[in-house]
Amino acid sequence: MKFKLLTLLLLSLVLMGNIAYHKDALLVAYDKNFQQFQETDLGNLISRIGKEILEPGPLNVGGKANNATFSSQQVIIETNSARQTNGNLPPLLENAKLNAAAKVKAQDMFTNQYFDHVSPSGVGPAALVSSQGYEYIITGENLILGNFKGEKEVVQLWMNSPGHRANILNNRFTEIGVAMVKGQYKGETVWIGVQEFGLPLSSCPEPSVSLKNTIEANRTALDQLAAQIDMKRKEIENTSRRSEKYNQLVDEYNALVAEYNPLNDETKKLIAQYNAQVNNFNQCAAGK
């Protein structure tokens, strides 16, 4: 009988040792995978990849004042005509937020008497479109100042300038906003034209926020379970194997590990799923 009892105790110890070993190994693997998840956090991802800005030097062409009038919509039509003629590129869609940004920009240049992509207060194209609620992956801005005969001439002048032409023919842009505003600039009556281009953030599939939240919740639960397991293991180590409480502690320890292991495995799968989504976003944002 004593031999049988001793055998059972030894078996319990062996099982406990195996569980503790596997528990430790899973903790290490989980921590490593979760670190990979943190390194591809969505907020960092967007700021690192999704903020490309194209802004060729402003184009001041002069010209005598006249009675010409201009339509922003017609400038968009002429811009899309240039895209179709030069590479059969798809037309840019008019975007209300980009229109608003273009108008704010043109009016601000008249108000503060400057002609540049960055205002005297330090606001550039990125901050400008963002201030109108436009979330983008890539954005660009074309500026022109002078007096013109019509919208076709305005677009052609941009097309004659390599940097502005590159913006108009950029195959990653999908949306546009335009403003044509007349005013006084350094004592002269002129028009200022602004084109705001964009590829909206919504063009790329963002990693799931709910999935990220689930991973975070699981991590918290795993951290709590791991702490309980460690405490239980220490309690076992400080308890005599001959004590009646010993087997009870082992059972409690095993129950905690049995709860931890599947949650850990599930979380690693969710992390892999989230990282795949991040990779897809990266590829899309990079234009691949």
Side-chain angles (χ1 to χ4, degrees):
M1 184 66 179
K2 290 182 179 180
F3 176 77
K4 184 176 181 181
L5 179 59
L6 179 59
T7 301
L8 290 173
L9 286 173
L10 287 173
L11 180 59
S12 295
L13 287 172
V14 170
L15 288 173
M16 185 191 72
N18 286 339
I19 292 170
Y21 171 78
H22 290 300
K23 175 257 177 184
D24 287 343
L26 286 170
L27 274 176
V28 172
Y30 170 76
D31 287 342
K32 181 179 179 181
N33 285 334
F34 198 79
Q35 183 61 38
Q36 292 173 1
F37 159 73
Q38 289 177 318
E39 288 174 355
T40 52
D41 178 80
L42 179 58
N44 293 333
L45 179 80
I46 294 173
S47 64
R48 184 173 63 253
I49 295 178
K51 299 297 182 182
E52 188 176 353
I53 306 161
L54 305 177
E55 44 185 57
L59 191 61
N60 190 335
V61 299
K64 294 183 178 181
N66 57 43
N67 295 322
T69 59
F70 295 89
S71 160
S72 298
Q73 286 70 33
Q74 188 61 38
V75 172
I76 294 175
I77 290 172
E78 295 295 341
T79 298
N80 283 330
S81 176
R83 284 172 63 87
Q84 198 279 328
T85 302
N86 296 272
N88 198 28
L89 298 171
L92 299 172
L93 302 177
E94 184 176 5
N95 181 277
K97 293 177 180 178
L98 290 179
N99 275 341
K103 187 173 182 179
V104 167
K105 179 64 177 179
Q107 291 175 335
D108 187 61
M109 285 189 287
F110 277 123
T111 299
N112 293 292
Q113 291 294 289
Y114 72 97
F115 186 52
D116 200 292
H117 290 291
V118 180
S119 73
S121 61
V123 177
L128 176 68
V129 298
S130 295
S131 71
Q132 300 303 312
Y134 189 80
E135 296 185 348
Y136 65 92
I137 291 171
I138 176 175
T139 188
E141 183 178 81
N142 280 355
L143 303 178
I144 194 168
L145 182 152
N147 284 291
F148 323 101
K149 296 178 182 179
E151 294 87 353
K152 189 179 184 69
E153 180 188 11
V154 172
V155 173
Q156 187 57 54
L157 287 167
W158 270 325
M159 287 292 290
N160 293 342
S161 167
H164 300 86
R165 178 188 181 92
N167 269 351
I168 291 174
L169 301 183
N170 191 313
N171 63 5
R172 297 195 63 205
F173 289 137
T174 60
E175 297 180 334
I176 188 174
V178 170
M180 295 295 297
V181 179
K182 189 176 185 180
Q184 292 291 312
Y185 180 73
K186 300 194 182 300
E188 299 290 335
T189 300
V190 297
W191 286 86
I192 286 181
V194 181
Q195 287 179 314
E196 300 290 349
F197 303 92
L199 173 65
L201 182 61
S202 58
S203 297
C204 291
E206 293 185 55
S208 169
V209 174
S210 62
L211 178 57
K212 179 182 177 182
N213 291 338
T214 298
I215 292 171
E216 294 283 5
N218 285 5
R219 183 188 68 168
T220 299
L222 285 167
D223 287 345
Q224 293 172 349
L225 281 170
Q228 294 176 42
I229 289 170
D230 288 340
M231 289 179 62
K232 191 65 64 177
R233 182 170 58 185
K234 290 178 182 178
E235 193 175 356
I236 290 171
E237 292 171 350
N238 294 325
T239 301
S240 172
R241 298 175 185 178
R242 297 180 181 180
S243 170
E244 293 180 0
K245 191 179 179 181
Y246 187 84
N247 287 340
Q248 177 186 341
L249 292 174
V250 171
D251 289 341
E252 291 172 355
Y253 176 88
N254 289 345
L256 288 170
V257 172
E259 185 179 354
Y260 179 96
N261 287 347
L263 181 59
N264 185 54
D265 290 340
E266 175 193 352
T267 304
K268 287 192 287 185
K269 291 177 182 178
L270 294 179
I271 290 170
Q273 182 181 345
Y274 184 86
N275 283 342
Q277 293 180 5
V278 169
N279 183 63
N280 289 338
F281 180 90
N282 284 342
Q283 296 295 315
C284 176
K288 297 178 181 179

